Amino acid sequence: MTKGYVKAVICKYDVKRLKDSIKVGDKLIYRTIFKDILDERVSISVMEQVKVVKKFDNLVQVKYTKRSDTWPLKTMKYEEILFQRKGLDW
């Protein structure tokens, strides 16, 4: 019996369709989670807009749109993007 938590189901077909639909230059949202310095139990999430730079088999390479080019490239899994598009917690 679950206590109010239901795990979302992701099908391989959904991930495959998402891989085909994402193109270089698409804009996504990248979420970074920081721990609070004073209280380690509290986490702060920061969401920033990113742009797809390169596609791979199991992930996408992205870069920040508002920051300078000196910031490193980040990666996102297709599952994260799928959760984001469905409006679920990822």
Side-chain angles (χ1 to χ4, degrees):
M1 180 175 192
T2 60
K3 296 182 180 179
Y5 177 76
V6 177
K7 189 172 182 179
V9 177
I10 297 176
C11 299
K12 289 182 183 180
Y13 176 73
D14 294 335
V15 175
K16 185 177 179 339
R17 273 192 3 204
L18 180 70
K19 283 182 187 181
D20 296 338
S21 70
I22 289 184
K23 309 253 185 292
V24 174
D26 285 352
K27 293 182 179 177
L28 304 170
I29 295 175
Y30 186 81
R31 184 176 78 167
T32 309
I33 299 175
F34 296 104
K35 294 282 186 180
D36 191 9
I37 296 171
L38 300 175
D39 189 6
E40 293 181 2
R41 295 174 291 175
V42 177
S43 60
I44 302 166
S45 69
V46 177
M47 296 186 180
E48 296 185 79
Q49 196 171 25
V50 292
K51 192 177 200 178
V52 176
V53 176
K54 195 171 185 180
K55 287 175 49 175
F56 295 100
D57 289 336
N58 59 345
L59 52 91
V60 175
Q61 197 172 28
V62 296
K63 73 174 185 175
Y64 291 104
T65 55
K66 294 185 179 180
R67 296 186 185 180
S68 65
D69 292 334
T70 58
W71 284 87
L73 298 174
K74 301 287 184 176
T75 58
M76 292 179 73
K77 292 182 180 180
Y78 286 109
E79 290 83 9
E80 291 177 43
I81 300 168
L82 188 62
F83 271 71
Q84 174 187 338
R85 295 233 172 132
K86 287 188 175 188
L88 301 170
D89 240 358
W90 76 92

